[in-house]
Amino acid sequence: MPDEIQEHAGVPVLVCDPAGPPVATEQDALDLIGAAFLGAQVVAVPANRLDERFFSLGTRFAGDVMQKFVNYRVRLAVIGDISAQLAESSALRALVHESNQGGQIWFVPDLDALDTRLRAAR
């Protein structure tokens, strides 16, 4: 399945293919944002597509990627199980908790949970 725009809870979402290329650079994130400009308001990226540096906050990669999405006003949803990464880092747990309190960046287990968040955000 290629990355494709799908409607979720009435919101156009760029749903990224779990087997697609990794998001390993800021340019990779910008490419997803550019693809979202074709009609999506949210980019749903499977956690397995994010370079491991994303989950190691000392690298600043997560902050750089997340800031790109905020700057371009495109919401980001990281989809999937990140419990192993959360178990290793209290800082990551805090970031995920704080992000999930807002409306711009979410960490959710699956697309059904994203649908729930999108309905609640209306």
Side-chain angles (χ1 to χ4, degrees):
M1 154 189 130
D3 296 352
E4 65 180 4
I5 296 177
Q6 303 173 357
E7 189 170 305
H8 287 268
V11 177
V13 176
L14 177 64
V15 178
C16 298
D17 180 359
V23 178
T25 67
E26 288 181 53
Q27 185 59 53
D28 295 336
L30 289 170
D31 291 346
L32 290 175
I33 292 167
F37 282 164
L38 297 175
Q41 296 174 10
V42 179
V43 175
V45 178
N48 70 312
R49 281 197 44 190
L50 295 169
D51 187 277
E52 275 304 310
R53 292 176 302 124
F54 186 89
F55 300 104
S56 178
L57 299 186
T59 67
R60 301 180 56 116
F61 183 57
D64 293 341
V65 167
M66 292 166 65
Q67 189 62 50
K68 296 284 185 229
F69 279 88
V70 170
N71 289 348
Y72 286 97
R73 295 186 174 104
V74 175
R75 289 183 280 179
L76 171 64
V78 175
I79 309 292
D81 180 11
I82 60 169
S83 56
Q85 293 92 334
L86 293 174
E88 294 178 13
S89 172
S90 61
L92 181 61
R93 283 192 302 277
L95 173 73
V96 168
H97 176 76
E98 188 68 29
S99 295
N100 282 343
Q101 301 305 305
Q104 187 69 33
I105 313 253
W106 294 328
F107 293 81
V108 294
D110 53 39
L111 289 173
D112 289 338
L114 176 60
D115 286 352
T116 301
R117 295 298 302 261
L118 290 169
R119 277 193 288 281
R122 287 187 193 182

